[in-house]
Amino acid sequence: RRKNGSQSKLQEFEALSTKKNKLILHTMEPWDFHTPHGSPAVCKLILFLEYAKIPYTIDTTMPKHFHTTKTPWITFKKKHIADSNLIIEWLSKQPEFSRANMDAHLNKRELSMLRAYKSMVEDGLYFVIVWRRMCADDNIYKYVALGSGGKISAWKVRLYLDLYFAKHEKSKMWAQGIARFDDKEIYRKGEEYVQNVVDFVGDKKFAFGNKLTSLDLTIYGHIGTMYQLSTVLTWNNGQPMPFKTEINGYMKRIEMECFGCLKYWKDIP
């Protein structure tokens, strides 16, 4: 029945996407905060869709992909794709979306650098971000409360997290390796990742000059959510986040390029 139910739901999505000629972005509920979404991957994808001027709607009734269980995923007419990078790669090859291939102007050397920095952010900094949200101090309770918009009572949040989620996430972080370092080492790694990005961007408008690339969107999705959460979550025993001036300016330039205005970002004091 589950399989038939999923198939029926997919057919509904396909019909809606085809009728409206819109992409459907399937994900968790967006948060009411200072970036488009709490998930770095979803945040990146929303920025991409806005920049590429691809009409879309958000569906939260089936946030996980029916086969891979990944989120986000998309429906576009009869196509269903999971993984934000694969989604962007596929959309960039569709001739009907003329702005989607946002890295087309880069040469081979620049594309190699783009891939290396993306890997650093998505395979390195990402796990510092998850560790901070899920494992450090009492941040997990604050983060889930923020993400739920207060829809879940505090005692239910704490009970669920204590019994399952926190233990599960800590186990994942241990297996990945980040949780094997002490707190100071983890925060030091996080700050080094951010410094690498700040140094690379330097005084340029974006990572590779005056034109936005998918790397900028990846950076916004990860570092943007990481910095905005500093108003709610702890960082390194109350230490201030480094490079706030540089990050504030860079994130605002990205938003302006994607949305045509400052839609979400609030300066980190």
Side-chain angles (χ1 to χ4, degrees):
R1 286 198 299 270
R2 185 181 305 172
K3 183 176 181 181
N4 291 337
S6 296
Q7 187 63 33
S8 174
K9 195 73 171 173
L10 293 178
Q11 290 172 351
E12 289 180 21
F13 292 143
E14 291 171 4
L16 179 62
S17 176
T18 301
K19 180 180 179 180
K20 300 289 188 181
N21 195 30
K22 281 187 176 182
L23 178 148
I24 302 175
L25 172 59
H26 307 278
T27 184
M28 303 290 192
E29 288 275 358
W31 61 0
D32 183 17
F33 207 51
H34 308 315
T35 60
H37 201 280
S39 160
V42 178
C43 196
K44 171 183 66 177
L45 194 48
I46 289 174
L47 288 171
F48 172 80
L49 295 172
E50 293 285 344
Y51 174 81
K53 300 189 183 304
I54 298 174
Y56 70 98
T57 186
I58 294 177
D59 164 68
T60 59
T61 66
M62 193 174 176
K64 292 187 178 182
H65 187 261
F66 53 93
H67 176 62
T68 65
T69 72
K70 290 177 72 70
T71 187
W73 62 285
I74 66 162
T75 297
F76 185 66
K77 298 181 180 177
K78 293 188 178 296
K79 191 80 173 178
H80 306 282
I81 308 172
D83 186 280
S84 61
N85 286 323
L86 293 180
I87 292 167
I88 291 174
E89 182 180 329
W90 183 80
L91 290 171
S92 69
K93 295 176 181 177
Q94 306 311 304
E96 60 194 289
F97 304 130
S98 59
R99 286 171 57 91
N101 192 1
M102 59 192 307
D103 299 331
H105 63 289
L106 300 178
N107 60 39
K108 288 184 178 180
R109 178 175 177 275
E110 290 169 331
L111 286 171
S112 296
M113 295 171 67
L114 179 145
R115 294 186 191 103
Y117 271 90
K118 267 190 181 180
S119 180
M120 180 193 76
V121 172
E122 295 183 332
D123 301 327
L125 180 60
Y126 171 78
F127 289 101
V128 175
I129 292 170
V130 174
W131 177 86
R132 178 207 187 190
R133 293 182 183 188
M134 303 300 181
C135 305
D137 303 324
D138 284 334
N139 284 343
I140 189 169
Y141 305 113
K142 301 173 187 175
Y143 176 67
V144 172
L146 175 66
S148 70
K151 296 177 183 176
I152 307 174
S153 60
W155 73 267
K156 287 183 179 179
V157 170
R158 185 168 292 273
L159 179 63
Y160 170 68
L161 295 178
D162 283 345
L163 292 178
Y164 171 73
F165 200 73
K167 181 179 179 180
H168 179 66
E169 288 300 319
K170 286 178 180 178
S171 176
K172 283 168 55 178
M173 293 299 99
W174 182 267
Q176 188 274 335
I178 191 69
R180 304 182 190 211
F181 296 95
D182 63 34
D183 291 9
K184 288 185 178 180
E185 280 295 301
I186 296 172
Y187 285 119
R188 182 183 64 79
K189 286 177 178 294
E191 293 182 1
E192 286 178 351
Y193 287 134
V194 176
Q195 181 168 11
N196 288 338
V197 168
V198 169
D199 290 345
F200 179 66
V201 175
D203 58 2
K204 301 190 296 294
K205 185 177 181 180
F206 301 117
F208 289 95
N210 290 326
K211 189 171 174 57
L212 199 70
T213 66
S214 62
L215 175 59
D216 298 295
L217 307 188
T218 298
I219 292 169
Y220 181 103
H222 289 74
I223 293 181
T225 55
M226 172 183 169
Y227 269 68
Q228 286 297 343
L229 280 171
S230 66
T231 61
V232 179
L233 309 185
T234 58
W235 176 265
N236 199 6
N237 293 318
Q239 294 297 312
M241 299 285 286
F243 313 110
K244 288 185 288 188
T245 300
E246 294 87 345
I247 295 300
N248 279 329
Y250 181 31
M251 298 298 106
K252 288 192 287 188
R253 293 195 297 273
I254 294 172
E255 271 202 18
M256 287 292 295
E257 198 74 7
C258 293
F259 297 103
C261 63
L262 289 178
K263 189 171 182 178
Y264 296 96
W265 191 263
K266 302 294 183 185
D267 277 350
I268 307 302

